[in-house]
Amino acid sequence: MASDRITSRQWSVGENKVFLTVENGSIVYRADSGTAQDFKSIEGYVEGISQTERTFSRNKPKLWHIDIRNKLTRQLYTLTFPYTSGAFMNIVLQLGSDKGINAIMRRLPVKIEVCKSRGGDRAMVSYCGERLDSAESRIPPIEYTTVDGERVKDSSRRMECVSYYADNIRLALMSREGFKYVN
């Protein structure tokens, strides 16, 4: 069963990032020992957003990362998502809204809550107790194309839209006073 949220008592202050994922409607912390701890939300200051490629066997999946600093403990958490994650899209489209950018620019803490919805993970972002609206009411649909005679999904137009808002968030972080951008 998932805890309500990550609190200051779960981890001590440290310079190392704590990596988290979103799975089955929860934010998940996996310890090196293999044990997992589930949370429904995380709250803190948005400090970064980035995209990387990891190498697993022969695959090179793209991943998104959102850095959140806990406002009480100052611990840095990194939420990691698959490139086409619905939860990531929800978060970025809400943080990319006018109110979301305002919260980032003013260094206000945001709360990210996750849940399971329609077979996938979804997320909601709020600050000062108010849920942020999405910057886009409709994002481009997933299209289908044929590759070597097989029909495959093509989410490139959708991800261009999401990347646009991720770039806007990065710009807000870079222009915020005292922020040092590291990619």
Side-chain angles (χ1 to χ4, degrees):
M1 180 166 201
S3 299
D4 284 344
R5 62 188 166 106
I6 295 174
T7 64
S8 59
R9 290 183 205 89
Q10 264 102 25
W11 289 284
S12 60
V13 175
E15 292 300 316
N16 296 329
K17 287 183 181 182
V18 173
F19 289 91
L20 307 168
T21 59
V22 173
E23 302 170 21
N24 299 316
S26 293
I27 296 171
V28 179
Y29 166 69
R30 293 198 188 287
D32 291 337
S33 64
T35 60
Q37 202 168 1
D38 297 348
F39 301 92
K40 286 294 178 193
S41 67
I42 184 169
E43 190 168 347
Y45 308 103
V46 176
E47 293 220 342
I49 187 167
S50 60
Q51 180 186 348
T52 60
E53 274 188 12
R54 294 284 310 263
T55 303
F56 297 107
S57 301
R58 296 179 191 154
N59 297 328
K60 285 192 171 188
K62 291 181 182 180
L63 301 171
W64 287 105
H65 308 281
I66 299 175
D67 292 334
I68 306 281
R69 184 162 310 270
N70 183 289
K71 65 181 186 175
L72 299 175
T73 66
R74 308 297 298 154
Q75 175 66 54
L76 184 62
Y77 297 96
T78 298
L79 283 166
T80 301
F81 303 88
Y83 184 67
T84 58
S85 163
F88 178 78
M89 284 186 248
N90 295 146
I91 293 167
V92 166
L93 291 175
Q94 291 171 46
L95 286 174
S97 69
D98 290 341
K99 287 184 179 180
I101 295 294
N102 183 47
I104 291 168
M105 295 288 292
R106 294 177 56 208
R107 197 170 184 82
L108 297 172
V110 297
K111 181 177 183 180
I112 298 173
E113 299 174 85
V114 297
C115 65
K116 193 91 168 150
S117 175
R118 291 180 280 158
D121 292 316
R122 298 288 176 246
M124 181 184 83
V125 181
S126 59
Y127 90 99
C128 297
E130 183 181 339
R131 181 179 177 188
L132 298 177
D133 292 327
S134 179
E136 286 283 330
S137 59
R138 295 184 52 84
I139 60 174
I142 292 176
E143 298 171 339
Y144 291 89
T145 187
T146 304
V147 177
D148 295 330
E150 287 191 44
R151 189 173 184 224
V152 295
K153 290 182 180 182
D154 179 4
S155 60
S156 58
R157 285 187 54 228
R158 173 178 280 205
M159 295 316 296
E160 283 175 19
C161 176
V162 171
S163 293
Y164 169 81
Y165 287 100
D167 288 343
N168 285 347
I169 294 166
R170 272 194 285 274
L171 287 172
L173 288 166
M174 288 188 318
S175 64
R176 186 172 70 193
E177 186 176 340
F179 182 84
K180 294 179 182 168
Y181 178 71
V182 178
N183 190 10

